[in-house]
Amino acid sequence: RMPDYEPIPGYTDLCTQFRHENNSLDCTWNIITTIWEARGMQTLFGNKGVNNLVVKVEHCGVDDESKVFEQEINTIVNRVYKREFTGQPSTFFSSTVRIACYNKNFLGLLEPIGEVSLGTLDIFMSENHMVPMQWFPVVDPKADLPMEPLGFLKLNCIINTVGERGAVQFRAPDDLADWELKRDPPRILQIPRLNLRKVASRQYNIKISLFQGFDLGISRFTADPKFKVISCCGIVESDALPNTLRPNWNTLIQVPWYEPAFSDLIVCEVHDVGLARGKMAHLLLSWKKIITTPPGLLKEPRWIDMFEKNENLLRNQIPVVNKSVSSLVENYIGVKAEEKYEAAMVYGGRVLLSIEVEQRSEKNEPSPAIIALKPKDCEIWKDPMQKCFFRFQVHYGCCLCAENAQVEFFIGRKSVSTSSVSINDQKLFEFYQSIELECDFPFDDVRSNPMGSGRLSEGQGTWDPEAFIDDLPDLIVKVYKTGLLGLSRELIGFWRGPMKAVLEGKDPNGFWSEQVFVGRNRDDNQTKGKFQGVEDIMLSPGDEVPAPTKKAPWGREDREESIKILNPYKGFQFRQLDRDSTCALGPDDFAGFIGFSAKLWLPDRKRCADIPPKGAPILSCWRPWNTIPFPKPSSELLDWIAGFEIRCHVYQARDVPARNPTGVANAYVQLQYAHFPAKKTPTAYLTGGIPGRPSPR
């Protein structure tokens, strides 16, 4: 498999670190930006060589602006901008601090001159979480020459995590403007490394070949999507295609890149320019990851899935008065009245693209461009889509903070849920239900089958579905606590993982291919017998599913292979649920565990090519068997006997908090496994590990 664009260097590690240290709750950071001086600001047309200059600092829709410096192009700004952000680390470290310069016209409107963009990830990973005081060029990222300086700002930026020792600017700026410093003889300070077009150490064109999109957006029925690439060195966007969630852009987007850069992240966004408007999905790329990956691996077209989170504007704890009207309206419209997840647990679609890096020079400068691809290069993933029938066997959950629980499985934009069950006397949620999900995904007879051969859709060649399964979207499992009669539900935990790992489960002797079935018959499913078919569980019209017996607790007694195919304990996995700040849990509550297994049936490629209107529809092989709950491990239908002993060696404890007025603890340790009776040690009285008192042993 080709290397993924994730994890992004630094970004993924920081997000994981902050989530673990703060139990996935919101974190708080302070951003302190000091702007000392502005110089050489380009004047706008009709201003007679001067501006009414305003300097504004913006972060995540919240902005703060300076006073108006009338009739100026050089001035001492001397202002400190402070911003407190509360939210998830994935949002914070993918954001940008934007320092923009404007001219205020006679109508009181702000006309943009240019901006400086600093990535919060780059600031935080700098020494002392600080970009020291220095000169930055003010540029227009949407211009034809996005690195042509339109003026200069002298500034620094510091990020402090609340509770962490704060970084400070050690050297204060000069009291007087540089050009007013009295020297003998007087001289003008030279500003180095400003015009990146002339003095960049490296210059590149990032060429993104954008082919298709698939199932774009969250809960949208149609859109007019366009693809936008945003970097600190320029913004380029494709044309919009009307009324589709599966666009064929077939466009080469060329983005300039200069080193050194002030932000490593490259943000790719899909926007709807129709009536609904707004961002549909986004993708983060890392320049470091792109430039260090072998070129041939990135140049090969591949599907990339996008996962979103529904942001809640009101949770950011930001005074509304600090928000610009446009940002407030835009963010508020994006808030759904339904579920809001801070973790990236909502599928936003997938895009088909490839990336190529072209090195440029001062004589052959980088340049933004949008170029139509040649038709012969776009005839990919045009074969009939592959139909997938997933079966999920949900066993039980435990340690869930609920009285009634429900499990939902998501693949792409589709989902399927179990019925709600109540907690039993053994503190378990026993589902023992089978549910199925039918999906369709793009397929290319050549690129989706690199280990096989031939035109599969025409019934020729050999199919190895491993590469196709590798490229399936991640499975997302969400567990809810439900209200009376299941009329309401709240998220209490989730888990996300690649489909291949889900099929393999946690059986040390299992393998993912044992849970994958292709076609109807092993001898005629285009895999040369490598994968089993589902003929043994197919029922004739009018036949009923046989009741479970001791000989066949699932499947048919006369078909031994059917028992192997339907075995719900094959590929079993017990997953610990994650949580985020929107889960209906207390700060110290544990999300719990859920046990399940999964199977996948892939109709053969020739059959997928013969679906309506050419042929008959493909019916699920799982559906008839899902009506009967599968037996529990303790069922009399199963001859399973497993005895084991858990032995816990408890040595000592220190600093045990007191729970009585005496100020010392009467400590003991309790061990409980699943629903079995708890065992506890003898009580060590008057202990706690405080001076003069022994620690419990």
Side-chain angles (χ1 to χ4, degrees):
R1 183 181 181 183
M2 290 182 293
D4 204 340
Y5 291 106
E6 294 183 353
I8 296 172
Y11 173 78
T12 305
D13 294 336
L14 282 175
C15 291
T16 302
Q17 174 189 335
F18 275 90
R19 284 177 60 85
H20 287 175
E21 291 179 355
N22 296 276
N23 200 19
S24 298
L25 300 178
D26 284 348
C27 308
T28 300
W29 295 268
N30 290 320
I31 305 175
I32 304 170
T33 306
T34 302
I35 301 179
W36 176 245
E37 183 179 341
R39 179 182 296 186
M41 291 296 163
Q42 176 175 289
T43 58
L44 301 183
F45 179 76
N47 282 5
K48 299 181 180 180
V50 291
N51 291 316
N52 294 325
L53 183 64
V54 175
V55 182
K56 181 187 293 187
V57 176
E58 181 181 1
H59 177 260
C60 289
V62 179
D63 55 54
D64 186 13
E65 63 183 54
S66 69
K67 68 178 184 180
V68 179
F69 299 94
E70 297 183 356
Q71 307 294 306
E72 291 280 7
I73 60 172
N74 304 318
T75 188
I76 299 294
V77 180
N78 189 20
R79 181 181 171 92
V80 178
Y81 300 78
K82 297 181 179 180
R83 159 83 159 108
E84 181 178 298
F85 176 88
T86 298
Q88 289 287 297
S90 57
T91 302
F92 180 74
F93 289 116
S94 63
S95 62
T96 300
V97 179
R98 180 172 169 267
I99 302 101
C101 297
Y102 296 88
N103 171 64
K104 195 166 190 175
N105 62 23
F106 69 96
L107 296 177
L109 302 177
L110 296 179
E111 301 173 312
I113 300 174
E115 65 183 56
V116 177
S117 294
L118 303 177
T120 54
L121 176 66
D122 299 78
I123 301 171
F124 194 84
M125 295 189 69
S126 300
E127 186 178 0
N128 294 322
H129 308 325
M130 174 181 64
V131 174
M133 185 69 69
Q134 59 184 289
W135 286 100
F136 289 89
V138 176
V139 299
D140 181 2
K142 296 183 179 180
D144 292 337
L145 296 174
M147 284 295 104
E148 186 73 35
L150 306 175
F152 310 104
L153 287 175
K154 189 175 185 180
L155 60 91
N156 85 303
C157 191
I158 301 172
I159 294 178
N160 290 326
T161 305
V162 172
E164 179 189 41
R165 183 179 178 182
V168 295
Q169 174 68 36
F170 295 108
R171 179 182 175 275
D174 299 315
D175 293 332
L176 299 174
D178 290 328
W179 62 83
E180 294 178 353
L181 290 177
K182 296 180 179 180
R183 299 174 182 265
D184 189 17
R187 62 180 181 177
I188 297 176
L189 175 69
Q190 297 297 316
I191 306 174
R193 198 174 56 81
L194 286 176
N195 190 339
L196 291 182
R197 293 178 52 236
K198 299 298 182 184
V199 297
S201 60
R202 295 286 189 277
Q203 305 185 37
Y204 304 90
N205 275 330
I206 304 175
K207 297 183 175 182
I208 301 177
S209 297
L210 178 66
F211 299 96
Q212 304 174 30
F214 182 79
D215 283 355
L216 297 175
I218 303 172
S219 303
R220 291 182 184 240
F221 298 102
T222 188
D224 300 338
K226 70 176 179 181
F227 194 83
K228 179 186 291 188
V229 182
I230 305 169
S231 77
C232 63
C233 299
I235 300 175
V236 188
E237 58 188 44
S238 72
D239 296 329
L241 297 183
N243 197 29
T244 179
L245 295 179
R246 300 179 179 181
N248 290 304
W249 286 295
N250 295 331
T251 299
L252 174 65
I253 298 179
Q254 186 169 285
V255 182
W257 188 269
Y258 301 84
E259 289 187 340
F262 308 119
S263 180
D264 176 63
L265 294 183
I266 302 170
V267 183
C268 301
E269 296 180 345
V270 181
H271 283 259
D272 181 7
V273 299
L275 294 177
R277 291 197 168 274
K279 186 176 73 174
M280 301 170 65
H282 83 288
L283 174 70
L284 291 179
L285 304 176
S286 165
W287 167 249
K288 294 186 183 73
K289 187 92 173 190
I290 291 174
I291 198 63
T292 56
T293 302
L297 297 178
L298 295 179
K299 195 173 181 181
E300 184 67 25
R302 58 164 301 177
W303 288 100
I304 303 178
D305 293 297
M306 299 176 287
F307 292 88
E308 299 297 312
K309 52 183 177 291
N310 287 334
E311 295 286 3
N312 184 349
L313 176 66
L314 302 180
R315 292 191 64 258
N316 286 342
Q317 304 174 9
I318 302 169
V320 174
V321 294
N322 285 347
K323 280 191 166 290
S324 63
V325 175
S326 60
S327 299
L328 184 64
V329 173
E330 179 181 352
N331 289 335
Y332 183 76
I333 291 175
V335 175
K336 309 291 183 184
E338 55 212 27
E339 302 153 329
K340 305 174 183 67
Y341 306 106
E342 288 291 326
M345 289 293 139
V346 183
Y347 188 68
R350 52 177 24 190
V351 289
L352 178 63
L353 55 81
S354 64
I355 299 177
E356 184 179 0
V357 177
E358 177 188 35
Q359 186 161 349
R360 307 293 284 177
S361 64
E362 182 181 343
K363 294 182 179 179
N364 297 311
E365 296 176 0
S367 60
I370 304 173
I371 306 169
L373 294 173
K374 297 179 180 178
K376 67 180 182 64
D377 296 331
C378 304
E379 292 300 317
I380 53 177
W381 272 275
K382 300 290 187 181
D383 295 312
M385 289 201 291
Q386 176 62 45
K387 193 168 284 292
C388 305
F389 293 90
F390 299 92
R391 189 190 198 215
F392 301 105
Q393 296 99 184
V394 188
H395 296 70
Y396 67 96
C398 73
C399 303
L400 305 178
C401 294
E403 294 296 325
N404 303 284
Q406 183 184 40
V407 184
E408 188 170 15
F409 294 84
F410 290 79
I411 300 178
R413 298 186 71 180
K414 294 189 175 182
S415 66
V416 62
S417 303
T418 66
S419 57
S420 179
V421 301
S422 301
I423 190 171
N424 62 16
D425 295 337
Q426 299 173 339
K427 305 300 182 183
L428 297 177
F429 295 83
E430 295 185 336
F431 294 93
Y432 296 100
Q433 301 174 22
S434 299
I435 52 180
E436 70 165 309
L437 187 59
E438 177 183 342
C439 301
D440 297 89
F441 292 102
F443 196 91
D444 187 287
D445 282 345
V446 177
R447 291 172 175 81
S448 298
N449 188 33
M451 293 177 284
S453 62
R455 297 290 301 175
L456 299 175
S457 301
E458 299 173 4
Q460 305 171 3
T462 304
W463 185 21
D464 188 335
E466 182 173 1
F468 174 75
I469 294 173
D470 270 335
D471 289 334
L472 287 174
D474 288 354
L475 172 71
I476 298 175
V477 184
K478 297 177 182 176
V479 181
Y480 304 88
K481 68 175 180 181
T482 57
L484 185 64
L485 302 178
L487 299 179
S488 63
R489 65 180 190 177
E490 294 180 286
L491 181 72
I492 57 176
F494 52 81
W495 181 82
R496 171 180 162 187
M499 185 53 63
K500 196 171 182 181
V502 171
L503 293 169
E504 188 169 285
K506 288 196 171 182
D507 185 352
N509 300 318
F511 193 61
W512 66 270
S513 60
E514 297 175 356
Q515 314 308 319
V516 177
F517 308 92
V518 179
R520 188 180 180 97
N521 190 290
R522 181 192 290 269
D523 300 327
D524 190 25
N525 62 2
Q526 300 178 294
T527 67
K528 289 189 174 181
K530 184 176 179 179
F531 288 85
Q532 173 73 18
V534 294
E535 184 177 31
D536 291 305
I537 65 171
M538 301 290 283
L539 299 176
S540 301
D543 289 353
E544 295 184 357
V545 176
T549 64
K550 200 167 185 65
K551 184 177 180 181
W554 43 77
R556 301 163 61 173
E557 290 188 358
D558 58 336
R559 298 286 184 93
E560 184 178 350
E561 285 297 324
S562 69
I563 300 176
K564 296 180 181 179
I565 294 173
L566 293 171
N567 186 352
Y569 292 93
K570 194 68 176 176
F572 174 77
Q573 51 210 288
F574 199 54
R575 300 290 185 180
Q576 178 179 330
L577 299 176
D578 295 322
R579 55 166 291 172
D580 67 8
S581 56
T582 60
C583 290
L585 299 172
D588 299 321
D589 287 342
F590 183 64
F593 299 89
I594 189 70
F596 65 95
S597 60
K599 300 181 185 297
L600 170 61
W601 177 49
L602 301 169
D604 61 73
R605 291 297 302 151
K606 187 176 181 181
R607 183 70 183 87
C608 290
D610 291 335
I611 60 175
K614 294 176 62 176
I618 303 176
L619 302 179
S620 170
C621 64
W622 308 122
R623 185 165 299 150
W625 301 95
N626 294 341
T627 57
I628 301 179
F630 56 90
K632 304 176 185 179
S634 58
S635 170
E636 295 179 353
L637 298 175
L638 303 176
D639 294 325
W640 291 356
I641 299 177
F644 56 90
E645 180 182 83
I646 298 178
R647 182 172 297 173
C648 180
H649 300 274
V650 182
Y651 296 99
Q652 62 177 302
R654 295 189 64 83
D655 300 329
V656 180
R659 289 293 183 268
N660 54 45
T662 63
V664 292
N666 299 327
Y668 65 89
V669 177
Q670 179 174 293
L671 173 67
Q672 182 165 10
Y673 173 74
H675 59 277
F676 297 97
K679 300 290 185 179
K680 67 178 185 178
T681 65
T683 301
Y685 293 96
L686 301 179
T687 60
I690 59 176
R693 298 287 185 178
S695 297
R697 294 180 181 270

